[in-house]
Amino acid sequence: TVRHDLSLFRHVFETAIKEWGMPINSNPIRLITKPKQNLPRDRRLEEGEEELLLLSCSQSRNPYLLPLVIVAIETAMRRGELLGLERQYLKIDNRTAYLPMTKNGESRTVPLSTRAIATLNKIPIHISGRVFSLSETALRGLWSRACRRAGISNLRFHDLRHEATSRFFEKGLNIMEVSTITGHKDLKML
């Protein structure tokens, strides 16, 4: 985040100097040492962890946690995409979920597995129209408690996206098919 913010400020100063003729000799952001880039995470569910996690989620009083985790593992959708998913965009007949706005600013259609469809069909319908009636803050607490109950450490919700993506490759999908499902624009990142 700090690296991203510094890059934004550097651009602001560059624009001010070049485009607006601001009387600044040099860009002061260029003198700041950026923090090291974080190593990419490669955490996947280990042997037996999925069962422990799902059992723990099923013990939650919140009816949306277990289905949310299952659909995350099945679809590789981002947390925000899942929490923003509306029932009107579920096309169970076509086995798809339409995401009108994603992180990269584009829409995409995500295929739904048999397991995802069965799970989505069991979710209680909420008056809001959202499939998962949870806030990010509520999910953070529910996730933390579920992992603690399951005895699982160092697992973030976003790691389920990595898990699902890896499973797509293990099923034999090629890089273009997987990038279409996950919404990755940068194949190196994928």
Side-chain angles (χ1 to χ4, degrees), residues 9-179:
F9 287 130
R10 183 186 58 75
H11 180 71
V12 167
F13 275 101
E14 294 292 332
T15 302
I17 293 167
K18 291 178 184 173
E19 303 292 326
W20 305 335
M22 297 291 272
I24 303 171
N25 292 335
S26 66
N27 188 332
I29 303 300
R30 291 188 180 274
L31 303 174
I32 297 174
T33 303
K34 293 179 184 173
K36 291 182 181 177
Q37 193 144 8
N38 292 336
L39 294 173
R41 284 181 62 85
D42 61 355
R43 174 75 158 89
R44 290 196 59 189
L45 293 171
E46 296 173 9
E47 185 77 31
E49 281 187 333
E50 182 175 355
E51 293 79 14
L52 288 171
L53 180 62
L54 296 180
L55 176 63
S56 179
C57 289
S58 72
Q59 295 168 349
S60 172
R61 283 186 278 199
N62 189 297
Y64 297 103
L65 180 61
L66 177 61
L68 178 73
V69 170
I70 292 171
V71 174
I73 292 171
E74 290 295 310
T75 64
M77 289 168 62
R78 296 177 180 95
R79 178 187 61 208
E81 294 168 347
L82 288 162
L83 295 179
L85 183 62
E86 296 181 23
R87 284 213 173 263
Q88 67 177 329
Y89 296 126
L90 288 180
K91 305 298 180 206
I92 300 297
D93 310 352
N94 295 343
R95 305 176 58 90
T96 61
Y98 175 69
L99 304 174
M101 181 56 71
T102 64
K103 179 182 172 185
N104 63 25
E106 293 186 6
S107 63
R108 83 171 185 275
T109 301
V110 178
L112 299 173
S113 67
T114 302
R115 184 181 184 201
I117 289 171
T119 301
L120 289 166
N121 282 332
K122 293 178 189 172
I123 298 174
I125 296 175
H126 193 269
I127 194 167
S128 69
R130 290 195 346 251
V131 175
F132 303 103
S133 184
L134 285 171
S135 68
E136 288 194 23
T137 304
L139 175 57
R140 204 170 296 123
L142 290 166
W143 177 256
S144 176
R145 286 188 294 278
C147 287
R148 201 173 324 118
R149 265 193 313 269
I152 298 173
S153 60
N154 191 32
L155 183 67
R156 299 178 187 163
F157 190 83
H158 190 76
D159 294 333
L160 300 181
R161 179 168 161 82
H162 300 164
E163 180 68 28
T165 302
S166 296
R167 289 180 182 190
F168 291 146
F169 284 112
E170 290 166 356
K171 288 178 181 176
L173 276 65
N174 67 43
I175 195 163
M176 295 310 292
E177 292 168 327
V178 174
S179 69

